[in-house]
Amino acid sequence: MTNRNRFWGSHLVPLVVLIVTLAPIFLLFLNAVKPSDEFTANPFGLPSRLTLENISTAWTMGEYGEAYWNSIIVGVCTVLIVCTAGGLCAYALAKLEFRGKSLIMLLLFLVLSVPMGLFLVPLFYAWIKLNLMDTLQGLILIYSAIYLPFNIFLLRTYLIGIPKEISESAKIDGCNELQIFGKIMLPIAKPVFLTVSLLTGLWTWNEFFFANAFIQNEDLKTVATKYLVFVGNYSADWSKISAAGVISILPFIVIYFLLQRNFIEGMAEGSIKG
């Protein structure tokens, strides 16, 4: 086999996957900077000129400045809750022995297997009783509960791979379990905690179903729900929707490229340890 054949044999599938993955994103950015009349005439064609008019109009019409702020508040609070509660729970499940440990693991598995849509009706009635409808606090609690089980397993898998001798040495030096977690485990597990933060932030930023159901106040709408501004009863402004898509995904594209090495390291080590 020649070097050229060997190259295509080993790189053809990744190249196809890369093209299939990037093509919709490229088309989204292209249509966002394409004049509206050209988009209507040929949505898949190259534009005769580039314009930021669609992005500027979409930002104003969608009130994305306020939506960004709401999404940042929800995302940061959810990440803090998931990392704190998930980290402590994962540490307990990975390093401690106590009654009911297997039951907790089973319940977490069951929660992961249940479609999230089944929680909508009971949550709706509970949130009305608790006066959490149309509040960012209510949305933060929902997201935290939804994203905790998966991230607990991810963190637990990583923590299991940390040698027991480290925590045992800390106990000999007089550290309690909370000190061991905060001063020893947390710095060692920094890559996987960063991965959990990025995943949770991304999921929270893009979540539409619960955000649209539990937030009706336009002043509290998140970024993911702003697409509805550009959709009417009988038509949709696809050039503005494309611009809204760029506005929505651009922050996390930048964040991912800045932190991609840490993200990949955390995912890889969190999936193979233990």
Side-chain angles (χ1 to χ4, degrees):
M1 182 182 290
T2 64
N3 290 335
R4 178 176 295 181
N5 291 336
R6 188 177 296 110
F7 172 84
W8 286 111
S10 60
H11 291 81
L12 181 59
V13 173
L15 284 172
V16 171
V17 173
L18 179 65
I19 292 171
V20 171
T21 303
L22 292 182
I25 299 176
F26 173 76
L27 186 63
L28 178 71
F29 275 85
L30 191 67
N31 287 331
V33 296
K34 182 188 297 184
S36 298
D37 54 343
E38 293 187 24
F39 178 88
T40 304
N42 185 7
F44 297 101
L46 294 174
S48 61
R49 61 185 179 87
L50 302 180
T51 177
L52 296 178
E53 181 182 354
N54 290 329
I55 295 177
S56 175
T57 304
W59 180 274
T60 304
M61 288 180 60
E63 298 178 336
Y64 272 98
E66 195 169 38
Y68 260 60
W69 180 243
N70 293 334
S71 290
I72 289 171
I73 292 174
V74 172
V76 169
C77 291
T78 303
V79 166
L80 289 175
I81 292 173
V82 168
C83 286
T84 304
L88 291 170
C89 183
Y91 174 75
L93 293 173
K95 298 298 183 181
L96 305 181
E97 295 298 331
F98 55 91
R99 293 180 62 183
K101 180 176 177 179
S102 299
L103 179 60
I104 293 174
M105 294 286 291
L106 177 61
L107 289 174
L108 289 173
F109 273 117
L110 290 175
V111 172
L112 280 175
S113 65
V114 176
M116 293 298 104
L118 294 180
F119 298 130
L120 179 61
V121 174
L123 271 175
F124 192 83
Y125 284 106
W127 257 226
I128 290 176
K129 295 291 185 180
L130 295 171
N131 294 320
L132 290 174
M133 289 292 294
D134 260 345
T135 65
L136 295 182
Q137 299 95 308
L139 199 59
I140 291 167
L141 289 175
I142 292 173
Y143 287 162
S144 299
I146 290 173
Y147 302 138
L148 266 171
F150 172 82
N151 287 310
I152 286 172
F153 282 119
L154 183 62
L155 290 166
R156 174 183 174 273
T157 304
Y158 191 99
L159 293 175
I160 284 176
I162 298 176
K164 292 182 179 180
E165 289 77 11
I166 296 177
S167 56
E168 289 173 355
S169 299
K171 288 179 182 178
I172 293 173
D173 292 336
C175 292
N176 57 38
E177 298 293 349
L178 191 59
Q179 290 173 328
I180 293 172
F181 173 77
K183 295 181 179 180
I184 299 175
M185 296 297 170
L186 196 57
I188 295 175
K190 182 180 176 181
V192 76
F193 273 97
L194 178 59
T195 299
V196 167
S197 299
L198 288 174
L199 286 175
T200 303
L202 178 61
W203 293 337
T204 302
W205 188 272
N206 290 331
E207 203 284 322
F208 174 84
F209 183 71
F210 288 102
N212 189 54
F214 287 88
I215 301 292
Q216 300 301 317
N217 187 342
E218 290 297 327
D219 293 335
L220 298 176
K221 289 286 188 180
T222 57
V223 168
T225 62
K226 286 299 183 177
Y227 288 101
L228 296 177
V229 174
F230 311 104
V231 180
N233 291 328
Y234 304 103
S235 63
D237 190 338
W238 289 104
S239 58
K240 300 298 186 298
I241 291 175
S242 299
V246 171
I247 292 172
S248 299
I249 69 174
L250 193 58
F252 268 91
I253 290 178
V254 174
I255 291 172
Y256 175 77
F257 276 111
L258 291 175
L259 302 175
Q260 60 177 316
R261 179 174 297 178
N262 303 86
F263 175 78
I264 294 171
E265 179 185 352
M267 283 297 292
E269 296 189 18
S271 62
I272 63 176
K273 283 194 174 185

